[in-house]
Amino acid sequence: MTGLTSCMPKGVETTEQLLAHYAATHRRLMTCPPRPTALPAPVSPPLWRYATIHFDEHVRVWRLAMMRRSTSRMKRYARIRAVKESIPTAIFFGPGRQKRHSIVRQRAMYEIYIAFGASLPQIGVVFNRDHTTVLHAVRKIGQMIEDGLLPPVEPADVWAVLADDRALLAEESA
């Protein structure tokens, strides 16, 4: 082993020492580290990974309250329009599809859309309709106004109707 001394690890002089050093190095590098006796408790994934959680529930509740507050004014305006057109409110808000009632209802939907800036679902809540029905009404009345078949809607006129016609609703409910 005299010619291999430059390749030999330090402190190894015999073949037995070299084999023992090799076995120790092999054990150190090739064996797995010892496993811990007690495994840590498994960590469950966060709840939002597998269930719907409303983080901002208070915001949703607040928006719903604001929508209800504004829909009461919209509902009042719609009832005024029904009374002015001599349509019973049960028919005006009901599922009827008669042309003379539906065109007035669609016009009221359009006026509320313009004056209140309400969303289509909000208006749908007022009229017991789907938002796509409101969308149809808004597009239809808008086209009729463009074609000159109906006069344009001014938001100030809608608000004036709300301010002036409280007595009209009192007469209807009496």
Side-chain angles (χ1 to χ4, degrees), residues 4-103:
L4 298 175
T5 54
S6 63
C7 297
M8 300 283 274
K10 290 182 183 176
V12 174
E13 296 179 7
T14 63
T15 307
E16 291 82 28
Q17 288 178 337
L18 182 62
L19 289 175
H21 177 73
Y22 171 76
T25 304
H26 186 270
R27 252 188 332 272
R28 180 175 51 90
L29 295 176
M30 298 306 210
T31 59
C32 294
R35 292 187 176 214
T37 55
L39 293 175
V43 178
S44 63
L47 191 59
W48 53 266
R49 289 256 188 202
Y50 58 88
T52 303
I53 296 179
H54 302 288
F55 289 105
D56 295 329
E57 183 69 17
H58 65 286
V59 174
R60 192 184 67 77
V61 169
W62 179 80
R63 285 181 180 159
L64 185 62
M66 293 283 91
M67 185 177 80
R68 285 189 180 137
R69 190 170 76 186
S70 64
T71 54
S72 66
R73 279 186 267 154
M74 292 186 280
K75 187 98 168 175
R76 193 171 96 224
Y77 178 76
R79 284 184 17 233
I80 291 168
R81 292 287 290 145
V83 170
K84 279 191 167 191
E85 297 292 332
S86 301
I87 301 173
T89 54
I91 293 175
F92 190 72
F93 292 109
R97 296 174 62 181
Q98 290 182 353
K99 184 146 179 111
R100 65 186 191 98
H101 297 147
S102 64
I103 195 72

Side-chain angles (χ1 to χ4, degrees), residues 68-154:
R68 285 189 180 137
R69 190 170 76 186
S70 64
T71 54
S72 66
R73 279 186 267 154
M74 292 186 280
K75 187 98 168 175
R76 193 171 96 224
Y77 178 76
R79 284 184 17 233
I80 291 168
R81 292 287 290 145
V83 170
K84 279 191 167 191
E85 297 292 332
S86 301
I87 301 173
T89 54
I91 293 175
F92 190 72
F93 292 109
R97 296 174 62 181
Q98 290 182 353
K99 184 146 179 111
R100 65 186 191 98
H101 297 147
S102 64
I103 195 72
V104 174
R105 184 186 309 121
Q106 289 170 345
R107 174 74 181 198
M109 288 179 186
Y110 181 81
E111 291 168 350
I112 289 173
Y113 180 77
I114 296 299
F116 289 87
S119 68
L120 301 177
Q122 283 177 319
I123 299 170
V125 167
V126 170
F127 288 91
N128 301 318
R129 300 281 191 288
D130 188 46
H131 71 281
T132 56
T133 305
V134 179
L135 179 63
H136 169 72
V138 167
R139 286 180 177 169
K140 179 179 177 179
I141 299 298
Q143 187 62 45
M144 291 174 80
I145 290 172
E146 278 184 23
D147 294 343
L149 300 173
L150 291 173
V153 174
E154 293 296 326

